[in-house]
Amino acid sequence: MKRGFYTIMAAQFFSSLADNALFVAAVELLRSNGAPEWERAALVPMFALFYVVLAPFVGAFADALPKGRVMFLSNAIKVLGCLLMLFGSHPLLAYAIVGLGAAAYSPAKYGILTELLPHSQLVRANGWIEGLTIASIILGVVLGGQLVGPHLSRWLLQFDFPFIDTGVNTPAESAIAALIIVYALAAWFNTRIPHTGVEMRALRQHQAHSVLQTTLALLPDFWDCNLRLWRDKLGQITLATTTLFWGVGGNLKYIVLAWAAVALGYDTSQASSLTGVVALGTAAGAVAASARMRLDQATHVLPLGIGMGVLLVLIIFIHHIGLALPYLVLLGALGGFLVVPMNALLQHRGHKLMGAGRSIAVQNFNEQASILGLGAFYSLSLKLGLSVFGAITAFGVAVAGLMWLIQRWHAHNCRRYGAEMEQLLHTARHDTH
């Protein structure tokens, strides 16, 4: 791997570590404030909100500036969200601001891979970045659970500043304050990321005098990029699959917390470790996929998505931790083996059709819209009176059904557009630029 790749990995690790620990802290903050179950579930779609709203702009922003600088600014926004959560804003609103920082971060994080590395190394690079991201999820949810637990929180609350009332008085608040330091560490690594030498794609100069005009000019450009990926016979399948996967994965971290509370009687601190178990399985699946799968073989993993939906339904019958642990590892492993080759193939097609930042922004828009939609579906199910088990069942059935439709869609493309599909796969198979 080229110089700078491991600096990117370090920056990604600490930023993702803080993101996942903050989710646990935010859940505990709402719980301690007496918020209802559906409001805690709404944290997931609120985080995705700005991914969807700002998708037409963040990709062009990531392509217009050195991506290390974009990642630094994004972490600064996350720190602002933490401060708002600490000092009076509603946790859902403050968590949406953290999501704003994450929305700006993602196109730069993934886009820099296509600038730094040849396409032949994208599957390996995705295996590294997804595996390390999953490791940060494991450690992040465990860290969040420990920070809101009785031992670490008691120690953190002992810190005080002379003559200053910080307003940090609860375990959840002390956890959020500690995570600001982790975001600051990630921002420092961002300053060490080298320039890749790729020419920046500046915003149109003749429109620079008007923010409104520049903003409006980005909308048709983003829409055109979105259509290009959805019309590409290979890109549409990879985009649909990764969209659904991240919709599931984004909501699964809360679903596991809710399931553990009902099925196992766990509190937030205990249940957070089970989210890490799912992530451990995902990491194993991601590593296996990066070692065994080639870019042109990515579509072979489509049936695993149906298996994920089925496993989600069957989880409601598990009430013993001895069965839960291997089951959650298997659930995560299916997802990890599915997403790495599909994500790499999607990046390949996006980079061929448009700029790296723009293609990742399109991907984020669709994936976060899926998180937003599936999260709203799950939260609404709870608000309308379904039990946790009932909402999980409906969620799993929807996932399995949608993945079956995507598989049938790909089979139709192979039959009707066989020559075009073979040409696209040939390009993926032999592109070493």
Side-chain angles (χ1 to χ4, degrees):
M1 294 297 181
K2 292 185 179 180
R3 186 179 72 86
F5 177 74
Y6 299 106
T7 306
I8 296 168
M9 293 299 96
Q12 164 60 12
F13 174 79
F14 286 108
S15 186
S16 179
L17 180 80
D19 285 348
N20 288 280
L22 183 63
F23 172 75
V24 178
V27 170
E28 179 61 20
L29 182 64
L30 285 171
R31 190 201 64 79
S32 61
N33 290 341
E37 178 78 18
W38 71 267
E39 195 169 304
R40 284 174 265 166
L43 280 169
V44 175
M46 286 301 291
F47 188 82
L49 178 64
F50 279 111
Y51 273 93
V52 177
V53 173
L54 297 182
F57 317 113
V58 291
F61 180 62
D63 283 340
L65 295 173
K67 290 181 172 54
R69 190 187 307 173
V70 175
M71 294 161 78
F72 175 85
L73 294 173
S74 301
N75 275 315
I77 295 172
K78 293 179 181 182
V79 170
L80 175 61
C82 290
L83 292 172
L84 290 173
M85 198 177 297
L86 280 178
F87 300 116
S89 294
H90 193 285
L92 286 177
L93 174 62
Y95 198 60
I97 299 300
V98 178
L100 168 61
Y105 191 93
S106 190
K109 173 187 74 175
Y110 283 108
I112 199 171
L113 294 181
T114 57
E115 293 182 359
L116 194 69
L117 303 171
H119 292 299
S120 58
Q121 290 187 325
L122 276 181
V123 173
R124 278 185 61 203
N126 271 273
W128 272 94
I129 198 168
E130 295 299 343
L132 196 62
T133 298
I134 296 307
S136 71
I137 293 173
I138 297 169
L139 296 175
V141 294
V142 171
L143 174 63
Q146 293 303 309
L147 287 173
V148 300
H151 302 296
L152 271 182
S153 62
R154 187 183 304 115
W155 181 73
L156 289 171
L157 288 170
Q158 289 176 353
F159 284 95
D160 209 348
F161 296 95
F163 312 110
I164 298 175
D165 182 11
T166 62
V168 176
N169 301 310
T170 67
E173 290 171 345
S174 67
I176 294 166
L179 291 172
I180 292 176
I181 300 172
V182 184
Y183 279 126
L185 180 60
W188 179 82
F189 274 109
N190 294 147
T191 65
R192 314 304 298 173
I193 295 174
H195 198 294
T196 61
V198 174
E199 183 180 356
M200 299 295 99
R201 301 189 180 199
L203 300 177
R204 298 177 187 179
Q205 295 299 316
H206 69 279
Q207 293 177 337
H209 67 281
S210 170
V211 174
L212 179 60
Q213 286 182 328
T214 302
T215 301
L216 292 177
L218 290 172
L219 291 174
D221 176 66
F222 174 78
W223 183 247
D224 178 63
C225 291
N226 205 5
L227 289 179
R228 276 191 241 170
L229 263 179
W230 278 114
R231 288 171 176 167
D232 185 84
K233 292 300 181 289
L234 198 54
Q236 62 190 205
I237 301 302
T238 58
L239 183 55
T241 304
T242 56
T243 291
L244 183 59
F245 169 82
W246 288 113
V248 174
N251 287 281
L252 189 59
K253 59 185 179 182
Y254 182 76
I255 289 174
V256 170
L257 292 179
W259 165 79
V262 176
L264 304 176
Y266 281 10
D267 60 19
T268 304
S269 180
Q270 294 170 310
S272 64
S273 61
L274 293 181
T275 305
V277 171
V278 178
L280 181 63
T282 309
V287 170
S290 64
R292 294 178 60 86
M293 299 298 295
R294 297 196 311 268
L295 202 61
D296 58 299
Q297 297 174 327
T299 55
H300 296 175
V301 301
L302 286 174
L304 297 182
I306 301 175
M308 284 184 61
V310 173
L311 288 181
L312 276 171
V313 174
L314 297 179
I315 198 173
I316 66 174
F317 299 106
I318 296 179
H319 298 273
H320 190 275
I321 188 62
L323 291 175
L325 292 177
Y327 193 89
L328 293 174
V329 169
L330 176 61
L331 176 61
L334 289 183
F337 203 94
L338 171 74
V339 73
V340 164
M342 296 301 286
N343 203 46
L345 185 57
L346 178 57
Q347 286 178 23
H348 166 74
R349 293 307 307 151
H351 191 61
K352 287 290 184 184
L353 296 169
M354 64 204 73
R358 283 170 169 82
S359 69
I360 300 300
V362 168
Q363 183 178 348
N364 280 340
F365 169 76
N366 288 278
E367 291 170 359
Q368 297 300 321
S370 176
I371 293 175
L372 187 61
L374 288 175
F377 171 73
Y378 181 78
S379 299
L380 186 61
S381 299
L382 293 169
K383 188 171 177 58
L384 293 178
L386 276 182
S387 66
V388 170
F389 285 169
I392 291 173
T393 300
F395 191 89
V397 169
V399 170
L402 288 171
M403 273 306 309
W404 180 80
L405 290 176
I406 293 171
Q407 189 175 1
R408 300 305 304 160
W409 187 7
H410 177 60
H412 168 77
N413 283 352
C414 290
R415 286 194 305 270
R416 186 168 181 180
Y417 307 102
E420 181 179 351
M421 291 290 287
E422 180 54 39
Q423 179 59 42
L424 294 175
L425 290 172
H426 177 82
T427 301
R429 193 177 298 122
H430 298 285
D431 189 353
T432 58
H433 175 65

